[in-house]
Amino acid sequence: MGEKTEKLLSILTLQPVVPVLIVDDVKSAVLLARALVAGGLKAIEITMRTSAALDAVRAVADEVEGAEVGAGTILNAAHWDAAIAAGSRFIVSPGATQELLDAARSSSVPLLPGAATASEVMALREEGYQVLKFFPAEQAGGAAYLKALSSPFAGTVFCPTGGISLKNAMDYLSLPNVICVGGSWVAPKELIAAGDWAGITKLASEAAALKG
C-alpha cells in the first residue's frame, strides 16, 4: 500500500483545493480543465454522475497538459474498471465497500476512500489506508469533528469534501490532519454555461493560493 499512498499524496499535495466537477459534455470538460490547470489546480476530480463523465475523464487525460484527472463517485468494481480504462490517475469514493476495496487492491491506481465516522476510519486503517476522504464534511460534523479525530488517529490525513466553500475552506486547511479539501465552488455552473474560462481560472488561482 505504501507505493500507492505515495502516488496519491503526490497528487493531492499539488494544491490545497481539488475541484470536484459534474460535467455534462466532453467539450466543456476539456476547456474547464484547461482553465483550472491555468489557475494552478492540476488535480481534478470528475464525478461519475452524468452520462458524459467517463468520456470527459478520457478527454481530459488525453488532451489537457498538466492535468491529473481522477474519477469520483465510484461505487463498485464495475465503476472502478470503467474509470481506470478511461485514464483515471486516481479514484475517489464517497464511502467504502469490500467489493471496492478488493478492486483497488489489485490495481496500481490509488483509491481515496470516503469515511464519516471513527469506525469507518478504523476499518480503512486496518486495510492499510492512510489518506481518506472525509465526506460529507459539513453535514458529518465539520472541521470541529475532523479536528477531534486527529489525536486518536495520528498518521491518518483527510481530504474533506461536501459543503466546503471559499468561506470555510481555511477552517479545514488549518487542521493538522487535512492535506487538501475538495470543492465545486471553483467551477460554478453559471460560468461554465457562459464559457467564462477566464473567470474560472481566476477562482482557481484564489483557491490555489490558500495556505493551511
Side-chain angles (χ1 to χ4, degrees), residues 108-154:
S108 62
V109 175
L111 169 66
L112 177 66
T117 67
S119 293
E120 290 169 356
V121 173
M122 289 171 66
L124 286 166
R125 279 166 61 102
E126 286 183 5
E127 292 280 346
Y129 286 89
Q130 298 168 286
V131 187
L132 308 178
K133 172 179 178 173
F134 176 54
F135 176 84
E138 281 291 282
Q139 296 84 347
Y145 181 94
L146 198 51
K147 183 179 181 180
L149 296 182
S150 63
S151 181
F153 298 124

Side-chain angles (χ1 to χ4, degrees), residues 9-197:
L9 286 171
S10 72
I11 293 170
L12 297 182
T13 53
L14 288 171
Q15 63 218 36
V17 179
V18 175
V20 179
L21 309 179
I22 298 174
V23 296
D24 293 312
D25 73 275
V26 174
K27 184 178 179 181
S28 67
V30 170
L31 295 170
L32 174 57
R34 286 179 178 151
L36 292 167
V37 170
L41 302 184
K42 296 180 179 180
I44 297 167
E45 175 189 340
I46 296 176
T47 61
M48 297 294 107
R49 302 184 195 182
T50 69
S51 59
L54 279 174
D55 287 335
V57 169
R58 187 176 291 108
V60 172
D62 291 343
E63 300 176 33
V64 182
E65 186 175 353
E68 295 278 355
V69 63
T73 322
I74 298 300
L75 305 179
N76 53 49
H79 286 176
W80 178 281
D81 292 340
I84 300 301
S88 299
R89 299 292 300 275
F90 64 102
I91 299 291
V92 185
S93 63
T97 65
Q98 198 57 55
E99 178 189 353
L100 190 61
L101 295 175
D102 288 344
R105 189 178 295 110
S106 59
S107 173
S108 62
V109 175
L111 169 66
L112 177 66
T117 67
S119 293
E120 290 169 356
V121 173
M122 289 171 66
L124 286 166
R125 279 166 61 102
E126 286 183 5
E127 292 280 346
Y129 286 89
Q130 298 168 286
V131 187
L132 308 178
K133 172 179 178 173
F134 176 54
F135 176 84
E138 281 291 282
Q139 296 84 347
Y145 181 94
L146 198 51
K147 183 179 181 180
L149 296 182
S150 63
S151 181
F153 298 124
T156 300
V157 293
F158 296 87
C159 172
T161 304
I164 298 178
S165 66
L166 188 60
K167 291 181 179 180
N168 62 3
M170 283 307 303
D171 295 343
Y172 291 92
L173 290 169
S174 62
L175 298 178
N177 58 341
V178 169
I179 188 171
C180 62
V181 300
S184 59
W185 83 87
V186 293
K189 287 182 180 179
E190 60 271 18
L191 293 190
I192 296 172
D196 186 357
W197 310 119

